[in-house]
Amino acid sequence: MWNDLKLFTGDVDIPLTEKGVTEALSGGRVVSEIDFDIIFTSRLVRAKQTALIAMTQSRFKRVPVLVRGGFYGKGKTGDENRIRLRDAAAKALETASCWMVPVYADPALNERCYGDLQGLNKTAAIAEFGEETVTKWRRSYDTRPPNGESLQDTYTRSVAFFQATIEPRLKEGRNVFLVAHGNVLRCLISHIAGYSDLEMLQLQISTASPYAYVYNGNEFAECCILPPKHDPDHPVGIMSLGVSCVKKGELDSLI
């Protein structure tokens, strides 16, 4: 509905549409031959829905389990009971890893916040702020809309999380499924490929069209979706980047 009305969605927490569910199933079939060890999504419900729906198509039939508190298990300071429950859940997941796959949701992967533009369509935004100003907010790298984020802000938080949390899992040879949103994936793909700021702004991201990368040592190589042959002496992590399927209308108008 938001896309049909051409509204700025940003980090408003709306669920998938019926079309989004269909696209999540389609994307899941594309990566169905990869046996994922761990899944990362944003905190937004549409990304979590996309990951869970996509995993129903996996031929390995492992059950995705949402882990409360994110990868680092952040809870209230001093809440010892919460920490004990988190640690017990993590241990249970490790024990049952043959048939379960943990899903960690983190706000670092949330879509770019458009601030005061969220909920407005392009025409209304131009009427309120002026066409030149709205265009600058939408298409520049380092300009923030009121109470919102620039693409640079989104890049900083998402890449920092990627380097601190996801790359170490890939170095261990784990297969990672990352499901996020258009601007976040634009940032991560640009980081992996070494794109300039301008190239990042021009990068188009299609919905339900996973990207796959093989991580070998300290470098990434884009690959076909089929997973590489397993070599226990040379562990290789494969990462698939999935797109939250509700975002296409906004992405088409962003560039």
Side-chain angles (χ1 to χ4, degrees):
M1 179 178 177
W2 282 59
N3 283 343
D4 292 339
L5 297 175
K6 297 184 178 180
L7 304 179
F8 282 94
T9 306
D11 64 352
V12 177
D13 200 10
I14 59 174
L16 288 178
T17 61
E18 183 177 346
K19 179 182 178 183
V21 171
T22 300
E23 290 184 335
L25 289 168
S26 175
R29 287 191 288 272
V30 173
V31 297
S32 62
E33 295 296 318
I34 301 175
D35 188 11
F36 291 112
D37 300 299
I38 189 168
I39 300 172
F40 291 98
T41 79
S42 78
R43 284 277 180 88
L44 302 181
V45 66
R46 59 188 184 269
K48 290 184 279 189
Q49 287 177 313
T50 299
L52 298 179
I53 292 169
M55 285 298 292
T56 65
Q57 304 302 296
S58 172
R59 77 173 184 85
F60 299 96
K61 305 303 180 185
R62 293 172 70 182
V63 179
V65 178
L66 282 166
V67 181
R68 292 187 62 186
F71 187 77
Y72 294 108
K74 295 176 181 177
K76 296 178 181 178
T77 302
D79 190 342
E80 298 298 330
N81 187 52
R82 179 188 290 260
I83 293 172
R84 283 196 296 270
L85 288 172
R86 181 203 69 204
D87 292 345
K91 186 174 182 179
L93 280 172
E94 290 178 7
T95 303
S97 61
C98 60
W99 62 273
M100 298 170 68
V101 55
V103 181
Y104 296 100
D106 197 282
L109 299 175
N110 284 4
E111 178 58 297
R112 175 188 174 188
C113 175
Y114 283 101
D116 293 352
L117 292 179
Q118 293 182 171
L120 298 178
N121 64 22
K122 182 179 178 181
T123 301
I126 289 174
E128 183 170 348
F129 300 107
E131 184 171 7
E132 183 178 349
T133 299
V134 171
T135 299
K136 186 175 183 180
W137 287 336
R138 293 170 62 213
R139 297 185 178 178
S140 70
Y141 175 66
D142 56 2
T143 303
R144 300 184 182 105
N147 300 309
E149 292 180 299
S150 65
L151 187 61
Q152 183 180 39
D153 295 328
T154 307
Y155 181 94
T156 299
R157 63 171 163 83
S158 60
V159 170
F161 179 82
F162 180 83
Q163 292 175 319
T165 307
I166 296 175
E167 279 197 52
R169 311 287 81 74
L170 295 169
K171 287 180 179 179
E172 295 168 355
R174 298 193 187 187
N175 294 336
V176 176
F177 189 26
L178 190 156
V179 182
H181 312 272
N183 282 304
V184 170
L185 296 179
R186 176 182 279 118
C187 292
L188 294 179
I189 291 170
S190 297
H191 166 69
I192 291 169
Y195 291 155
S196 67
D197 298 348
L198 179 59
E199 289 172 323
M200 185 194 313
L201 289 168
Q202 295 173 337
L203 180 62
Q204 293 281 3
I205 304 291
S206 299
T207 60
S209 300
Y211 290 70
Y213 292 89
V214 170
Y215 183 84
N216 192 351
N218 294 312
E219 61 183 13
F220 289 90
E222 191 168 359
C223 70
C224 63
I225 290 298
L226 292 178
K229 293 182 179 179
H230 177 64
D231 180 353
D233 296 324
H234 299 88
V236 173
I238 186 168
M239 178 182 65
S240 179
L241 300 173
V243 181
S244 183
C245 301
V246 78
K247 300 300 295 176
K248 189 174 189 303
E250 184 173 318
L251 284 172
D252 286 344
S253 63
L254 179 65
I255 300 300

